[in-house]
Amino acid sequence: MSSEVKTTTCYMCACRCGIRVHLEDGKVRYIDGNPEHPINKGVICAKGASGIMKLVSPARLTRPLRRRPGAERGAGEFEPISWGEAFDMLEQRLAKIRATDPKKFALFTGRDQMQALTGLFARQFGTPNYAAHGGFCSVNMAAGMIYTIGGSFWEFGGPDLERARLFVMIGTAEDHHSNPLKIAISAFKRRGGRLIAVNPVRTGYAAIADEWVPIRPGTDGAFLLAVTAEIIAQGLYDRDFVARYTNGGHLVVCQPGAANEGLLARTPGAPESDTDWPPVQLWWDRHSNRAVPTHSEGADPYLFGEYRLEDGTPVKPAFQLLAERVKRYTPEWAEGITGIPAATIRRLAHEMGVVARDQKIELPIAWTDSWGAEHQTVTGNPVAFHAMRGLAAHSNGFHSVRALAILMSLLGTIDRPGGFRHRAPFPRAIPPAAKTPTGPEAIRPDTPLPGLALGWPAAPEHLFVDADGKPVRIDKGFSWEYPLSVHGLMHNVIGNAWRGDPYRLDTLMIFMANMAWNSSMNTVEVRRMLNDRDAGGEYRIPFLVVCDAFQSEMTAFADLVLPDTTYLERHDVMSLLDRPISEFDGPADAVRVPVVPPTGECKPFQEVLIELASRLKLPAFTAADGGRKYRDYPDFILRYETEPGSGIGFLSGWRGRGGEKSMRGEPNPRQWEMYAANNCVYHHRLPPSYQYMRNWNRGYMEWAQRVRIRRYGDPVIIHLYSEVLQRFRLAAQGRRAGRQPPEALRARVATYFDPLPFYYAPLEVQATAAGNYPLAAITQRPMAMYHAWDSQNAWLRQIHAHNYLFVNPAAARAAGIADDDWIWVESQWGKVRCMARFSEAVEPGTVWTWNAIGKAPGAWTLAADANEARLGFLLNHMITEEFSDPVTGQAGWYDLRVRITRAGDDEPKRTWPEFEAVPAAPGTGAFA
Ligand code: SF4
């Protein structure tokens, strides 16, 4: 018997821990954590250790499949075909679309880690209709933070728990940055740090918090604004930090009715631009008592007051406007909205402010700021935050997240020890430079898209709309409806394509997203749309391609199924061009290498894209002689450069012909081997003087420009006040030349594009009679499972095989419900029958359940009467896609309002709605 240990990177969730896969005679026997890996240092979780059951799952798709001629979509009746036939079919279809109207092809992907490749494919194809899952996950978290501080949580940055003294988690799921965060919290608590969890539910991290602060879902913005009001009222903000590193001291034009009202004042003749570099915006200097360009030598801005420029224009510092704004958000006001007592809000605000002010850290690290000032130390205000989907997945989430980013900035914690730290390639410019094309003329037959499918608008001119202001993208991304939809709106694709609004598609390719089940709101209706035909008898979405490793609920609706590999069977990269694994002290990226050969005829989706791109002769994948440029995916990763000779590729380690360079260098033919020999990870540690204050760190910025992490070296000033939002508002008010929103959207844009954060009740709450639906209903992922993938995993199913609706006993008793009763949960959109379980660990106005455990009968090759199908349920059946965040289009998953009633004794003890069982697809069950 031969034993072997191979290292690679886990993908049982998105944390990307290093793992060791132990094999005997070429078969995987068990998986443990890799002690040499910087992310998890040997720690492995239940999911990671259960990877073997993903590999050998009976639900694995192992052959390409075509819907059996005459079979209805959704019936799950397929016949196997060869890869040659599948590629021929796709090539023929896609070539025709590309040669006529490329936007009729749409590619949307789930929680993959290869968006740099999928995005490149879509762009080269020439379609604007591309996005990943961010629009229904946490785009508010990305956009709200990046439009404010130039970075965000998760892969992009996080809490520095090594030095923090106070750690506030608000709206965090248990799976984001799972092992690394657990390791860090454990050490933080051992060092005596205090953990506060603000969350409607006390599970996971909140369960080990020193203080649990229950909050009503969707009211986080009210809490954060009240804390900010208190911090300002008590003078607990870091004045020096705010003055120098944010736009709090920048003067804002306050001339009522002026064309530039609400924009930042600038030196005469200076153009409106997103950067204050070289400084052209103005401070009111305390020493000379006059307006001066920001960061003028020796100047120091007033943060409060009102002034007149030489030409008589009235102006106020942005901080003054912020203080005026939050004055209305008293703790007493917030108590009525959040359910958190005013005294608690005050106490927490004081604690944050006092810890930040009185427990300062000084690290003996010299650095130079963007304006040339030399600093002998790096200062830290040790209050750290972590936030995620609990804040984001609301139709008011963008402004809640902005409020959080502003609070963190006022406390002086951005990219400082003990606070929030960026991870490369962040910080980015505010907003980042990447832009989409701006009109339908960008879509041309047989031509790549002249811009990215996803970008960062800074003004109405950057929207992707036609001359009438109508959307160009199928999901209406970057339109006046959702101007800053920087991750797209995957949740709108099927509905829009079904309605033909703004147009119909020909082919929709879905990778790794269970859109017919747990990844769709209003699931029953979405399934109907997928199966619906037009008056001519053609499916409204004519051709559906699904690429997945498993027979999910979605595969039943496919016309063509492409069997993907698992993470143990393929090459993969976690790239700086995409979603790297960077650490606070420098960029890091990682790879996966195959530890076993692909199962059956499975093919990595990466290989599918390379093959299709080569067959379609997409320019970036085609050699000068017209032949294919890349042999396969590993070859593509080795040789692809962002521009010819740029030296920048997907991987930053071991570049240069012999692997002697890093970050930038010629392609290295042995790069995969070098990663494999180094635990599949490359970590570039920055010198200490480049590790902090990176928004304004001259040395870091120069380095980042050299290695092309940043395009420009200008400082990234924190936007307490968002001029970007004000530009949209002025356009909506008809006071800005250029693009105007359609009349029907003017009021909406003018309301929600407020340059300062504000609180409004989530749109669903506004549209719901509170007396009829008194409870908030939310989901969260269990620590032991990641999306639908794992709720069919033979080992993990033993932890959760069905779910309950967790109800506070007080709320349950008020509704006449006993523990374990069958109940009906109803929203104004739909209803579900499920079992109730009492829990004191939920605030009384909220009910909740685990996400994606309920399954359709027969899906994932589980028995039709498996607990997941009989007892498990989804809240999705009761959620509408109507109410997305009006700024970003983020799906408002957590805005759901419901009522609960006891099910009748004569009703079946099984979940409702019920679905027809689908048969096992050919090729599944290979390991049963
Ligand atoms: S935390 Fe995620 S990546 Fe890490 S071992 Fe667990 S499942 Fe794998």
Side-chain angles (χ1 to χ4, degrees), residues 248-362:
H250 291 41
L251 298 175
V252 179
V253 174
C254 294
Q255 176 87 59
N260 62 347
E261 184 186 0
L263 297 180
L264 297 172
R266 290 175 164 81
T267 51
E272 192 182 303
S273 104
D274 292 312
T275 174
D276 187 24
W277 190 257
V280 292
Q281 297 169 12
L282 302 174
W283 284 348
W284 199 271
D285 177 29
R286 289 150 63 96
H287 305 307
S288 59
N289 200 25
R290 63 186 176 88
V292 298
T294 61
H295 300 92
S296 297
E297 184 77 29
D300 184 27
Y302 277 112
L303 296 182
F304 289 101
E306 42 187 305
Y307 310 93
R308 279 193 184 271
L309 300 180
E310 271 180 12
D311 64 1
T313 306
V315 292
K316 290 182 185 177
F319 194 77
Q320 166 76 35
L321 295 173
L322 175 68
E324 288 173 12
R325 166 59 56 86
V326 298
K327 226 174 193 154
R328 65 176 98 145
Y329 298 130
T330 62
E332 284 70 23
W333 164 85
E335 175 175 333
I337 292 174
T338 61
I340 305 173
T344 304
I345 297 174
R346 265 201 186 90
R347 174 173 56 77
L348 293 175
H350 295 182
E351 186 176 355
M352 292 175 204
V354 168
V355 171
R357 183 192 64 192
D358 294 351
Q359 299 194 34
K360 280 195 188 304
I361 299 164
E362 294 290 340

Side-chain angles (χ1 to χ4, degrees), residues 341-478:
T344 304
I345 297 174
R346 265 201 186 90
R347 174 173 56 77
L348 293 175
H350 295 182
E351 186 176 355
M352 292 175 204
V354 168
V355 171
R357 183 192 64 192
D358 294 351
Q359 299 194 34
K360 280 195 188 304
I361 299 164
E362 294 290 340
L363 299 182
I365 298 172
W367 64 288
T368 304
D369 72 24
S370 296
W371 303 276
E374 291 181 2
H375 305 260
Q376 294 314 307
T377 60
V378 168
T379 305
N381 299 349
V383 180
F385 292 81
H386 187 50
M388 224 37 234
R389 198 175 304 107
L391 248 73
H394 298 284
S395 52
N396 62 2
F398 177 80
H399 279 284
S400 301
V401 173
R402 277 259 300 145
L404 172 65
I406 287 172
L407 172 62
M408 289 161 57
S409 304
L410 263 51
L411 292 169
T413 65
I414 306 302
D415 212 33
R416 286 176 130 188
F420 169 87
R421 304 272 306 277
H422 289 297
R423 294 188 166 102
F426 290 85
R428 290 223 193 265
I430 303 175
K435 301 284 180 278
T436 67
T438 56
E441 64 285 349
I443 301 158
R444 291 193 287 133
D446 284 330
T447 309
L449 203 65
L452 299 167
L454 301 170
W456 297 85
E461 287 63 45
H462 298 141
L463 293 180
F464 203 174
V465 291
D466 68 15
D468 298 325
K470 302 231 174 67
V472 174
R473 285 175 57 105
I474 186 73
D475 60 1
K476 305 192 181 181
F478 307 104

